[in-house]
């Protein structure tokens, strides 16, 4: 009986840790915990209502996802991508996103095409925060590729640059340009042209990379 109870308790502890990981990850992705923000076990214990052990394990897991990193001063902080990391990530995006665009045109259902076009039309240049629209666009695009490995890899890249995408999108004038880029992509999808869709995606990634480099410099200036 003692052994069975111990096994059950371990499973429960693991579940708590996973819930803390999910909560902190979402707070980071939503911007509630901003890049460069120092993270202390005491504060997070108070915020989550769980033990320091669970918080410590959750932070260790988030470090493995590169969402949390060691702070230059002390302790941990929400990760800030380096210029080199941004360059490496956008090198991959420049190859993978055009491929995703091409596969979407070739494989997506008409319902997915209609949904993507509708979402693209919801981008509002007058709105500084279009995060939900961009996230839904990515989800439909990746699902329509019908390639789960590409979806996993490219989705992981989007997670790594979550803060940069949000900050660069809020840069004056950037969302208006993004709107034009998405409209070009939507038009290519409507024409069912894989080549034009891939080229539109390539142009978008190139412009996004330039904005991301500006964003990472802003993040570094505001970090501890």
């Amino acid at each position: 009986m003692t052994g069975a109870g111990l096994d059950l308790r371990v499973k429960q502890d693991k579940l708590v840790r996973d819930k803390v990981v999910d909560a902190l990850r979402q707070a980071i992705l939503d911007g509630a915990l901003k890049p460069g923000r120092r993270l202390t076990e005491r504060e997070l214990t108070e915020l989550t209502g769980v033990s320091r052990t669970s918080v410590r394990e959750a932070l260790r897991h988030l470090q493995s996802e590169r969402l949390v990193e060691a702070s230059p001063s002390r302790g941990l902080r929400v990760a800030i991508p380096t210029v080199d990391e941004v360059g490496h990530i956008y090198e991959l995006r420049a190859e993978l996103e055009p491929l995703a665009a091409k596969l979407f045109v070739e494989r997506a259902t008409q319902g997915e095409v209609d949904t993507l076009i509708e979402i693209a039309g919801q981008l509002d240049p007058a709105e500084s925060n279009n995060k939900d629209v961009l996230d839904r666009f990515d989800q439909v695009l990746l699902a329509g590729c019908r390639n789960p490995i590409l979806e996993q890899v490219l989705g992981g890249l989007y997670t790594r640059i979550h803060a940069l995408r949000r900050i660069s999108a809020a840069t004056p004038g950037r969302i208006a340009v993004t709107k034009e880029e998405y409209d070009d992509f939507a038009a290519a999808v409507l024409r069912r042209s894989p080549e034009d869709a891939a080229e539109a995606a390539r142009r978008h990634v190139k412009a996004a990379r330039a904005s991301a480099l500006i964003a990472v410099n802003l993040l570094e200036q505001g970090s501890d």
Side-chain angles (χ1 to χ4, degrees):
M1 291 294 292
T2 302
L6 178 59
D7 288 342
L8 180 59
R9 185 169 65 251
V10 169
K11 291 178 182 178
Q12 289 176 335
D13 288 344
K14 185 173 186 289
L15 181 60
V16 170
R17 192 285 308 268
D18 290 344
K19 287 182 177 179
V20 177
V21 168
D22 290 343
L24 294 179
R25 183 193 295 114
Q26 197 60 52
I28 291 171
L29 297 181
D30 288 343
L33 293 175
K34 299 183 182 301
R37 163 78 180 270
R38 283 193 63 238
L39 302 171
T40 66
E41 291 179 8
R42 178 177 179 179
E43 179 188 22
L44 294 179
T45 296
E46 294 174 353
L47 290 174
T48 60
V50 301
S51 69
R52 285 201 176 192
T53 298
S54 294
V55 167
R56 190 177 302 119
E57 291 175 352
L59 289 174
R60 191 177 301 119
H61 183 90
L62 292 171
Q63 277 186 281
S64 72
E65 294 184 6
R66 304 294 293 277
L67 292 177
V68 169
E69 64 186 7
S71 171
S73 54
R74 65 184 186 278
L76 297 173
R77 70 178 185 180
V78 179
I80 299 176
T82 66
V83 171
D84 285 344
E85 286 175 328
V86 171
H88 296 154
I89 288 170
Y90 276 86
E91 281 180 350
L92 289 177
R93 267 194 78 182
E95 299 298 324
L96 296 181
E97 202 160 300
L99 174 60
K102 175 178 179 294
L103 293 179
F104 182 87
V105 173
E106 295 173 345
R107 300 176 179 178
T109 66
Q110 187 59 48
E112 288 170 329
V113 169
D114 293 342
T115 299
L116 195 77
I117 301 304
E118 179 183 357
I119 294 173
Q122 294 172 0
L123 274 175
D124 185 359
E127 176 60 53
S128 62
N129 185 3
N130 283 266
K131 178 183 179 298
D132 290 342
V133 177
L134 297 174
D135 287 348
R136 285 188 286 117
F137 185 94
D138 292 342
Q139 291 168 5
V140 175
L141 173 66
L142 294 178
C145 293
R146 300 292 184 275
N147 186 320
I149 303 301
L150 177 59
E151 181 177 0
Q152 180 183 17
V153 173
L154 195 49
L157 293 181
Y158 292 155
T159 299
R160 289 283 299 277
I161 56 174
H162 62 93
L164 299 182
R165 298 183 83 196
R166 186 174 60 253
I167 293 171
S168 62
T171 302
R174 174 56 194 158
I175 195 63
V177 175
T178 300
K179 171 67 173 171
E180 294 177 1
E181 294 163 356
Y182 275 53
D183 287 345
D184 288 345
F185 179 76
V189 171
L190 282 175
R191 293 194 302 273
R192 289 288 187 172
S193 172
E195 294 77 14
D196 290 351
E199 180 56 32
R202 193 170 290 109
R203 290 196 301 270
H204 169 65
V205 173
K206 181 178 180 180
R209 179 182 183 276
S211 293
L213 290 173
I214 294 174
V216 75
N217 287 323
L218 291 174
L219 286 174
E220 286 289 1
Q221 292 171 14
S223 65
D224 56 2

